[in-house]
Each structure stands twice: as C-alpha cells, then as structure tokens.
Amino acid sequence: MAEEVTFKCLRCGYTYKGTYDRKVPEERECPKCGSNSVRPLPKGKGD
Amino acid sequence: MDVGRHPKIKLLAYSEIEEITGYIGNFHVKVRKKARYVDEIACTACGECVKVCPVVKPDEHQLGLATRKAIYIPFAQAVPASYLIDMEDCLGNNPIACGACAEVCDPRAIDYDQKDEILELDVGVAIVATGMDVCDPTILDEYRYTKYENVITSWEFEILTGPGYVTRGELLRPTDRKVPKSIAFVQCVGSRAERRGNPYCSNICCMNTIKDTLYLKEHHPEIDCTVFYMDIRAFGKGYEELYKRSKEVGVKYIRGIPGDIVEDRKTRNLVLTVENTTTGKIQRHEFEMVVLSIGVIPRPDTETVQRLLTLSKAADGFLMETHYQLNPIDAPTGGVFLAGCCESPKDIKASVIQASGAASRAETLLSAGKVKVEAITSEVIPDLCKACGICVDVCPYGSITVDRKAKTPASIVEAACKGCGTCGAECRFDALRMRHFTDDQIIAMIDAMFEERPEEKVCIFACNWCSYGGADLAGLSRMQYPPSGRVIRTMCSGRVAEKFVWHAFRKGAPVVLISGCHFADCHYIDANRWTQKRVEKLWDKMEQKGIRPERLQLEWISAAEAVKWTRVMHAVEELRKTVTREEIEETMRILSEEKGK
C-alpha cells in the first residue's frame, strides 16, 4: 500500500516527501541532482 | 480477404484472448469467441436485416460521422463478411423484444440463443500485431477541435474522402455541406511535444498529409491547400518525389505551427495565427476548413497484451523488441514476435516488412521443430533447493515451477529462461546456478579487483544491455572520467546478489555502484525492479550495521547515455574520496566478524 515517506538522495543528501509503495517499484530520480540513488527512509528517520 | 480464404489459416474474428500459458513451442491459449447472434456460415450478407432493424447508433468505424444499426457489419471489408448483433444496442434477445431481423432472414442465420465460446488452442509461436490508436486532439485546446465544427482530424478527413464512407468520397465542410475552397493541414498534433502529447515523431503523418493534399488537388484543383509544419520528414523510397509533386501542384508549405485558431462567426471560416519560422514574422491565414494531423499512440489495451505474453513496454508505451537494431522483430519472451505499430509508429511498408519478417521467424521455428536456447540460463541444484518458491515469484518469464507443499525442488524450463539471473540473486540457499555468471565467478572477479589498493577502486556492477553499453559508448566517444571504476558485467542488474555487495565491502571496497537499464528499457521485462527492491533492503541493512548507505549507489543508465555514465563516474569518484581508510577497515571488521559468527 502506498504511504507518505521521506526520500533521501544518497548522492547529494537532498530530502523530499513522496508516496512509496514497496510492491510497486518506480524509477526514482533526485529532483536536485538527478541521481537514482534515492532511498525511502524508514519510518521515523526522516520525519 | 486472402487470409480469410486460406485453407491453412484459421481466422477467429470477434474474439479475445483470455489466457496464454506455456513457453516457446508449447503455448496454450484460451480464446473467447464472442457470440455474434448470427451464424457466420449461413449469413449471405444480403443486408435485408439492416433495413428492418429499428435501432440506430453512431457508427464507431466512421467515428460517429455516420450511423449503423444494432445488426451490422463493422466495416465494408470485414472478414468474415457476415453480420453481427450488438446485444447491448439490440432491443433484447431474452425475451426477444423485436425479432424483425429474424423474420426477414431467408437463410435463417439469426440465432438469438448463441453464447460466447471458449476455445483452447495449442500453438508454437505467437505474433503480436495489435496495431495502434490515434492521439486525442482535445488535449491541445489551441486548435479548438471541440469548439469549431470545421476543425477536423486527419482520421475524420479519411472518412470524409473515402469512397466507401458516409459522403461517398465527396469532401464536404461540416457546417454547410459544401466543398471547401481552402484547407489548412496542421502537422505534429500530439507528436514531438514534450509537455502535451507525445515526445516522439509519429512517423506517418507527414506522408499522410502529402497524400491527402495530392488527393485533394487531383479531385479539386481549385482548393487552396496549405500545410503548416515543423519540418517535413519524407524519408522513404519515393517519398521526397511525392513531396515535390505536392508542391508542384500548388500545395503551399509554411514552416510554423499555429498557436491559435479563431472562427469567424458569420462565415464559419477559421483564422490561424502562426509564426512563420522561415521569415520570423507573425502571420494570419484564413481557411474554410482545418485538418489536424494527429499523431499515433499505443493502443489502450497494450498492457493486457503485455500481461498475457509477459512482454516489455518501452517508455513511449509501445511494446519493446529484444534489440532495436539487431533483433527488431523478436519480443523478449521466446517464441513471440512483433509486427506493425504495436512496436512503434510506422507506415504500411514498414509494417509489411516487419510482418513478413515475423512470419518468417515464426515459420523457421515451427519447421525446425526444436529451438536453440541461450547458453546463459539458470539451473537448479536439487540438493540445495528448499522449495521456498522465491525464484518462481521473481522470474519474469514464468520459467520456474515448484511444488511448495510437496517440497519438491524447483525445475526450470530452459527454453523459457532468458538468463537474467534474478532467481540466482534471490535464492537464499544457493540452489540456483547461473551458467557463465556463477557466484564463484563473480566472487573471483571481486577478489581480483581488490587484491591491491582496494581504497582506490570503485566496484561497479553494470548490466550487459544498457549500462555496459553506456560505458562502451563513453569510451568510444573519448569521454574523460576517473579511472577508479572497475566494472563487473552481468546480463541484468537483477543478477547482483546481496552477497556480492557484502563481499566487495568485506574486501575493502570504498564504494559499490549497481547500474542497470531504465525501468522502461529492462531487457528482462521487470527484472530490474528486483534490483531496486534489493538495494533498498541493502541500504537499511548497511545502516543497521553502522555502514554508511551512501557507499552503495544505484543508477539507471541506458546504452545511449554515455554522458550520464561519465557524470556518474565523476560522482562516485567524489564519493570515494570521502571514504577514509579507517572507515573501510571498520567496515571490513564489521563484516568479517559477522561472517565469523
């Protein structure tokens, strides 16, 4: 099920909120630097 | 017509495929043959039934410009040439509310009790030729398609000029039913547009417009024809000559796409405002009719076809071939071939070429009776298999079966396996061996990579089809990037198992990069989705172990993205410089201690 999470770019460190569904993978791209190393932070980490 | 008469071709019209199982050479297909309520063999297509049917509906085939009855033939050349009753439109068959068609049918072909039939077929190969759809012009409001009747689409133009259609080939202006004196054609409607419509060129619109203008000039030389375009793409044999001919007969070409269309309320004429990009001046032109040359889009049911045959879809929504240049007919699933616009927008000639190629590829397989499979496939080591079934869940081709209840080891249909290696990466018991890309081989490459000065190297796993190609192109293009990257090629990023990443860090890797195809380009349907899931788990585990997740990078790089490859190489080098010798040693200690436990 989709949930609101914080994404963190593991290249430039930029964080942003977005929806995340573990079962429906989507190609992600950091809005700031364009890297695909965008990590959905575990609950409580980026809040 | 020839297909319908061919003794060796069984044509199932008005039917839909519900399920396809199996693999190359052994497909099992379930087809729903919909009830026509008319015996297609008994029907002589005399048309008496149509005369008495009281239900009038818009004719979908003529885009609603004409009407049809509840009993109808979808279009003039339909095969079989037999009527059918649309039961949603008919006044009813249970109980029979009208029955007029049955009363006048001499051959007694009407059968109100007919039911849908499920047919089961065993076939060796499948050819997908599901065609395309056209772009909806209503998303581009500046052309006022929904507001002004005299703005029509190129498809509607075909209907209005086709001899078998509503006007019997006489082009009439919708508002006054008179032959227009001037017509504008606007190109690239819904094509080559980044923001609205589609970014790709629809391939057929330029030549279709040129054909339309020649048709008009042939039948009505007095009509003033003007084409507004970005650039005319007349690339095929004889096309440039047609373009020249069109200009010679008086068709005007203006380089510029109208930004606005306004109707004169009195005359119902249309005034187009356009920047002529050749002169750089804003111009206004008045026409009696405007034809929007609408682009081509994938059919809305492409996803259903994709699911039925486990195919890949490209970013533009069309079905993806195995290789754009070297294997443009085969689908990624063995025994499935693509023909026509389901693969990309193309003209009739290109469609015929591809269809002939697909028929030939299919025939080659069927006549051989056996198939050569790739050497790179997975094999099960039965003694290690615990029948957990993870491999079954991740295989994009459904080539693995396992009986979880009976705990019998998994088995692989090698003819269906394409060798992505995702099963091997996900198996927790090392029960799957990926030929030519075994765990031992990859571990040995990592060992060799970090034998000397590991802190100076970045371990890169690159997929064969995209990222490795991107690296290759960067090299061929003489692009400069830091030499710290060491590449291990795998067929798919899905092959990169967690243990490879841990092993690289254990051996002193400062940074590991996993790089694969963009989601829409995955050559193994959706195997790279498993890569992303695995990397996300790895990031969490790294954090739990006290290792910076940043040291594991993930990038999607296509074979054409040499620039991106170079940029990423610079970025990972910058990242590598931030990893100290102490941090590497601490990581090695954490992972070695864990392994010892």
Side-chain angles (χ1 to χ4, degrees), chain B residues 198-223:
Chain B
N198 300 297
Y200 53 83
C201 168
S202 289
N203 224 318
I204 57 172
C205 322
C206 286
M207 292 318 297
N208 186 58
T209 293
I210 291 168
K211 182 263 294 174
D212 287 346
T213 59
L214 283 169
Y215 172 87
L216 273 181
K217 284 290 182 185
E218 204 172 286
H219 290 78
H220 301 281
E222 73 285 359
I223 293 182

mmCIF file of all heavy atoms in Angstrom, chain B residues 198-223:
data_model
loop_
_atom_site.group_PDB
_atom_site.id
_atom_site.type_symbol
_atom_site.label_atom_id
_atom_site.label_comp_id
_atom_site.label_asym_id
_atom_site.label_seq_id
_atom_site.Cartn_x
_atom_site.Cartn_y
_atom_site.Cartn_z
ATOM 1 N N ASN B 198 2.902 13.620 -27.156
ATOM 2 C CA ASN B 198 3.995 12.645 -27.030
ATOM 3 C C ASN B 198 5.299 13.206 -27.585
ATOM 4 O O ASN B 198 5.286 13.928 -28.584
ATOM 5 C CB ASN B 198 3.619 11.377 -27.806
ATOM 6 C CG ASN B 198 2.344 10.780 -27.246
ATOM 7 O OD1 ASN B 198 2.291 10.364 -26.103
ATOM 8 N ND2 ASN B 198 1.284 10.803 -28.039
ATOM 9 N N PRO B 199 6.408 12.845 -26.954
ATOM 10 C CA PRO B 199 7.683 13.424 -27.396
ATOM 11 C C PRO B 199 8.193 12.854 -28.721
ATOM 12 O O PRO B 199 9.001 13.470 -29.389
ATOM 13 C CB PRO B 199 8.641 13.069 -26.260
ATOM 14 C CG PRO B 199 8.025 11.915 -25.556
ATOM 15 C CD PRO B 199 6.552 12.036 -25.739
ATOM 16 N N TYR B 200 7.691 11.673 -29.106
ATOM 17 C CA TYR B 200 8.242 11.022 -30.297
ATOM 18 C C TYR B 200 7.565 11.512 -31.584
ATOM 19 O O TYR B 200 6.471 12.066 -31.558
ATOM 20 C CB TYR B 200 8.102 9.497 -30.190
ATOM 21 C CG TYR B 200 6.701 9.013 -29.903
ATOM 22 C CD1 TYR B 200 5.766 8.848 -30.914
ATOM 23 C CD2 TYR B 200 6.311 8.716 -28.596
ATOM 24 C CE1 TYR B 200 4.482 8.418 -30.650
ATOM 25 C CE2 TYR B 200 5.018 8.291 -28.315
ATOM 26 C CZ TYR B 200 4.114 8.144 -29.347
ATOM 27 O OH TYR B 200 2.836 7.725 -29.086
ATOM 28 N N CYS B 201 8.234 11.272 -32.719
ATOM 29 C CA CYS B 201 7.660 11.561 -34.040
ATOM 30 C C CYS B 201 6.764 10.382 -34.414
ATOM 31 O O CYS B 201 7.165 9.230 -34.262
ATOM 32 C CB CYS B 201 8.785 11.722 -35.062
ATOM 33 S SG CYS B 201 8.207 11.738 -36.769
ATOM 34 N N SER B 202 5.565 10.667 -34.897
ATOM 35 C CA SER B 202 4.636 9.580 -35.201
ATOM 36 C C SER B 202 4.873 8.936 -36.562
ATOM 37 O O SER B 202 4.156 8.024 -36.971
ATOM 38 C CB SER B 202 3.183 10.069 -35.107
ATOM 39 O OG SER B 202 2.852 10.292 -33.765
ATOM 40 N N ASN B 203 5.871 9.422 -37.271
ATOM 41 C CA ASN B 203 6.391 8.697 -38.423
ATOM 42 C C ASN B 203 5.552 8.739 -39.698
ATOM 43 O O ASN B 203 6.081 8.685 -40.796
ATOM 44 C CB ASN B 203 6.598 7.229 -38.015
ATOM 45 C CG ASN B 203 7.891 6.687 -38.513
ATOM 46 O OD1 ASN B 203 8.269 6.939 -39.641
ATOM 47 N ND2 ASN B 203 8.611 5.951 -37.680
ATOM 48 N N ILE B 204 4.228 8.747 -39.549
ATOM 49 C CA ILE B 204 3.386 8.574 -40.740
ATOM 50 C C ILE B 204 2.661 9.850 -41.157
ATOM 51 O O ILE B 204 2.132 9.933 -42.260
ATOM 52 C CB ILE B 204 2.332 7.462 -40.530
ATOM 53 C CG1 ILE B 204 1.461 7.766 -39.325
ATOM 54 C CG2 ILE B 204 3.008 6.111 -40.397
ATOM 55 C CD1 ILE B 204 0.293 6.827 -39.167
ATOM 56 N N CYS B 205 2.614 10.860 -40.282
ATOM 57 C CA CYS B 205 1.713 11.996 -40.503
ATOM 58 C C CYS B 205 2.132 12.862 -41.691
ATOM 59 O O CYS B 205 1.266 13.326 -42.448
ATOM 60 C CB CYS B 205 1.613 12.850 -39.246
ATOM 61 S SG CYS B 205 1.592 11.896 -37.737
ATOM 62 N N CYS B 206 3.431 13.094 -41.851
ATOM 63 C CA CYS B 206 3.888 13.949 -42.960
ATOM 64 C C CYS B 206 3.444 13.350 -44.294
ATOM 65 O O CYS B 206 2.847 14.041 -45.127
ATOM 66 C CB CYS B 206 5.408 14.094 -42.943
ATOM 67 S SG CYS B 206 5.999 15.171 -41.636
ATOM 68 N N MET B 207 3.739 12.073 -44.485
ATOM 69 C CA MET B 207 3.406 11.452 -45.768
ATOM 70 C C MET B 207 1.902 11.311 -45.946
ATOM 71 O O MET B 207 1.378 11.399 -47.058
ATOM 72 C CB MET B 207 4.091 10.090 -45.914
ATOM 73 C CG MET B 207 5.598 10.178 -46.037
ATOM 74 S SD MET B 207 6.192 11.499 -47.108
ATOM 75 C CE MET B 207 5.544 11.044 -48.687
ATOM 76 N N ASN B 208 1.180 11.110 -44.840
ATOM 77 C CA ASN B 208 -0.268 11.019 -44.923
ATOM 78 C C ASN B 208 -0.850 12.349 -45.399
ATOM 79 O O ASN B 208 -1.743 12.381 -46.256
ATOM 80 C CB ASN B 208 -0.855 10.635 -43.557
ATOM 81 C CG ASN B 208 -2.338 10.395 -43.626
ATOM 82 O OD1 ASN B 208 -2.803 9.550 -44.385
ATOM 83 N ND2 ASN B 208 -3.102 11.162 -42.873
ATOM 84 N N THR B 209 -0.319 13.446 -44.872
ATOM 85 C CA THR B 209 -0.797 14.770 -45.298
ATOM 86 C C THR B 209 -0.457 15.028 -46.759
ATOM 87 O O THR B 209 -1.290 15.536 -47.520
ATOM 88 C CB THR B 209 -0.195 15.857 -44.385
ATOM 89 O OG1 THR B 209 -0.749 15.696 -43.085
ATOM 90 C CG2 THR B 209 -0.506 17.261 -44.890
ATOM 91 N N ILE B 210 0.763 14.676 -47.154
ATOM 92 C CA ILE B 210 1.162 14.877 -48.553
ATOM 93 C C ILE B 210 0.218 14.082 -49.471
ATOM 94 O O ILE B 210 -0.258 14.577 -50.491
ATOM 95 C CB ILE B 210 2.639 14.476 -48.753
ATOM 96 C CG1 ILE B 210 3.540 15.475 -48.034
ATOM 97 C CG2 ILE B 210 2.995 14.385 -50.241
ATOM 98 C CD1 ILE B 210 4.980 15.062 -47.915
ATOM 99 N N LYS B 211 -0.077 12.856 -49.051
ATOM 100 C CA LYS B 211 -1.023 12.024 -49.823
ATOM 101 C C LYS B 211 -2.401 12.700 -49.896
ATOM 102 O O LYS B 211 -3.027 12.768 -50.957
ATOM 103 C CB LYS B 211 -1.114 10.636 -49.152
ATOM 104 C CG LYS B 211 -1.998 9.620 -49.803
ATOM 105 C CD LYS B 211 -3.370 9.533 -49.180
ATOM 106 C CE LYS B 211 -3.367 9.011 -47.762
ATOM 107 N NZ LYS B 211 -4.711 9.073 -47.149
ATOM 108 N N ASP B 212 -2.862 13.230 -48.763
ATOM 109 C CA ASP B 212 -4.171 13.896 -48.723
ATOM 110 C C ASP B 212 -4.202 15.118 -49.633
ATOM 111 O O ASP B 212 -5.197 15.365 -50.332
ATOM 112 C CB ASP B 212 -4.510 14.323 -47.283
ATOM 113 C CG ASP B 212 -4.870 13.136 -46.410
ATOM 114 O OD1 ASP B 212 -5.120 12.048 -46.961
ATOM 115 O OD2 ASP B 212 -4.891 13.286 -45.163
ATOM 116 N N THR B 213 -3.119 15.906 -49.618
ATOM 117 C CA THR B 213 -3.111 17.116 -50.453
ATOM 118 C C THR B 213 -3.114 16.747 -51.940
ATOM 119 O O THR B 213 -3.778 17.400 -52.743
ATOM 120 C CB THR B 213 -1.874 17.998 -50.149
ATOM 121 O OG1 THR B 213 -0.704 17.227 -50.390
ATOM 122 C CG2 THR B 213 -1.888 18.519 -48.737
ATOM 123 N N LEU B 214 -2.394 15.685 -52.285
ATOM 124 C CA LEU B 214 -2.384 15.248 -53.687
ATOM 125 C C LEU B 214 -3.762 14.762 -54.118
ATOM 126 O O LEU B 214 -4.217 15.034 -55.226
ATOM 127 C CB LEU B 214 -1.342 14.138 -53.884
ATOM 128 C CG LEU B 214 0.115 14.626 -53.937
ATOM 129 C CD1 LEU B 214 1.070 13.461 -53.854
ATOM 130 C CD2 LEU B 214 0.360 15.419 -55.215
ATOM 131 N N TYR B 215 -4.421 14.043 -53.195
ATOM 132 C CA TYR B 215 -5.781 13.558 -53.460
ATOM 133 C C TYR B 215 -6.719 14.747 -53.714
ATOM 134 O O TYR B 215 -7.512 14.759 -54.666
ATOM 135 C CB TYR B 215 -6.270 12.720 -52.261
ATOM 136 C CG TYR B 215 -7.714 12.318 -52.337
ATOM 137 C CD1 TYR B 215 -8.097 11.147 -52.995
ATOM 138 C CD2 TYR B 215 -8.703 13.107 -51.756
ATOM 139 C CE1 TYR B 215 -9.436 10.783 -53.071
ATOM 140 C CE2 TYR B 215 -10.039 12.746 -51.826
ATOM 141 C CZ TYR B 215 -10.405 11.586 -52.487
ATOM 142 O OH TYR B 215 -11.725 11.233 -52.567
ATOM 143 N N LEU B 216 -6.589 15.742 -52.847
ATOM 144 C CA LEU B 216 -7.452 16.925 -52.987
ATOM 145 C C LEU B 216 -7.211 17.640 -54.308
ATOM 146 O O LEU B 216 -8.145 17.998 -55.014
ATOM 147 C CB LEU B 216 -7.172 17.900 -51.835
ATOM 148 C CG LEU B 216 -7.944 17.705 -50.543
ATOM 149 C CD1 LEU B 216 -7.550 18.772 -49.550
ATOM 150 C CD2 LEU B 216 -9.447 17.766 -50.787
ATOM 151 N N LYS B 217 -5.922 17.859 -54.604
ATOM 152 C CA LYS B 217 -5.579 18.593 -55.825
ATOM 153 C C LYS B 217 -6.005 17.815 -57.080
ATOM 154 O O LYS B 217 -6.328 18.413 -58.104
ATOM 155 C CB LYS B 217 -4.081 18.870 -55.859
ATOM 156 C CG LYS B 217 -3.664 19.994 -54.930
ATOM 157 C CD LYS B 217 -4.177 21.333 -55.466
ATOM 158 C CE LYS B 217 -3.750 22.509 -54.623
ATOM 159 N NZ LYS B 217 -4.348 23.768 -55.081
ATOM 160 N N GLU B 218 -6.010 16.501 -56.965
ATOM 161 C CA GLU B 218 -6.425 15.668 -58.102
ATOM 162 C C GLU B 218 -7.929 15.822 -58.350
ATOM 163 O O GLU B 218 -8.381 15.954 -59.480
ATOM 164 C CB GLU B 218 -6.100 14.214 -57.765
ATOM 165 C CG GLU B 218 -5.913 13.317 -58.971
ATOM 166 C CD GLU B 218 -5.395 11.957 -58.540
ATOM 167 O OE1 GLU B 218 -4.209 11.846 -58.191
ATOM 168 O OE2 GLU B 218 -6.210 11.023 -58.524
ATOM 169 N N HIS B 219 -8.705 15.804 -57.266
ATOM 170 C CA HIS B 219 -10.168 15.883 -57.397
ATOM 171 C C HIS B 219 -10.692 17.311 -57.442
ATOM 172 O O HIS B 219 -11.713 17.571 -58.057
ATOM 173 C CB HIS B 219 -10.839 15.123 -56.241
ATOM 174 C CG HIS B 219 -10.670 13.639 -56.350
ATOM 175 N ND1 HIS B 219 -9.497 13.003 -56.012
ATOM 176 C CD2 HIS B 219 -11.507 12.665 -56.799
ATOM 177 C CE1 HIS B 219 -9.623 11.707 -56.222
ATOM 178 N NE2 HIS B 219 -10.845 11.479 -56.710
ATOM 179 N N HIS B 220 -10.022 18.212 -56.733
ATOM 180 C CA HIS B 220 -10.477 19.608 -56.679
ATOM 181 C C HIS B 220 -9.266 20.523 -56.828
ATOM 182 O O HIS B 220 -8.789 21.087 -55.836
ATOM 183 C CB HIS B 220 -11.169 19.902 -55.330
ATOM 184 C CG HIS B 220 -12.346 19.039 -55.057
ATOM 185 N ND1 HIS B 220 -13.580 19.259 -55.626
ATOM 186 C CD2 HIS B 220 -12.484 17.943 -54.278
ATOM 187 C CE1 HIS B 220 -14.425 18.337 -55.199
ATOM 188 N NE2 HIS B 220 -13.780 17.517 -54.387
ATOM 189 N N PRO B 221 -8.774 20.701 -58.070
ATOM 190 C CA PRO B 221 -7.565 21.529 -58.235
ATOM 191 C C PRO B 221 -7.759 22.962 -57.732
ATOM 192 O O PRO B 221 -6.787 23.639 -57.414
ATOM 193 C CB PRO B 221 -7.349 21.518 -59.758
ATOM 194 C CG PRO B 221 -8.190 20.413 -60.294
ATOM 195 C CD PRO B 221 -9.287 20.176 -59.341
ATOM 196 N N GLU B 222 -9.019 23.384 -57.630
ATOM 197 C CA GLU B 222 -9.279 24.779 -57.236
ATOM 198 C C GLU B 222 -9.107 24.992 -55.712
ATOM 199 O O GLU B 222 -8.991 26.140 -55.261
ATOM 200 C CB GLU B 222 -10.702 25.188 -57.665
ATOM 201 C CG GLU B 222 -11.861 24.611 -56.862
ATOM 202 C CD GLU B 222 -12.166 23.136 -57.140
ATOM 203 O OE1 GLU B 222 -11.486 22.532 -57.987
ATOM 204 O OE2 GLU B 222 -13.068 22.584 -56.490
ATOM 205 N N ILE B 223 -9.095 23.917 -54.944
ATOM 206 C CA ILE B 223 -8.973 24.082 -53.485
ATOM 207 C C ILE B 223 -7.564 24.581 -53.142
ATOM 208 O O ILE B 223 -6.567 24.048 -53.608
ATOM 209 C CB ILE B 223 -9.276 22.757 -52.730
ATOM 210 C CG1 ILE B 223 -10.745 22.372 -52.897
ATOM 211 C CG2 ILE B 223 -8.938 22.893 -51.240
ATOM 212 C CD1 ILE B 223 -11.139 21.104 -52.159
#
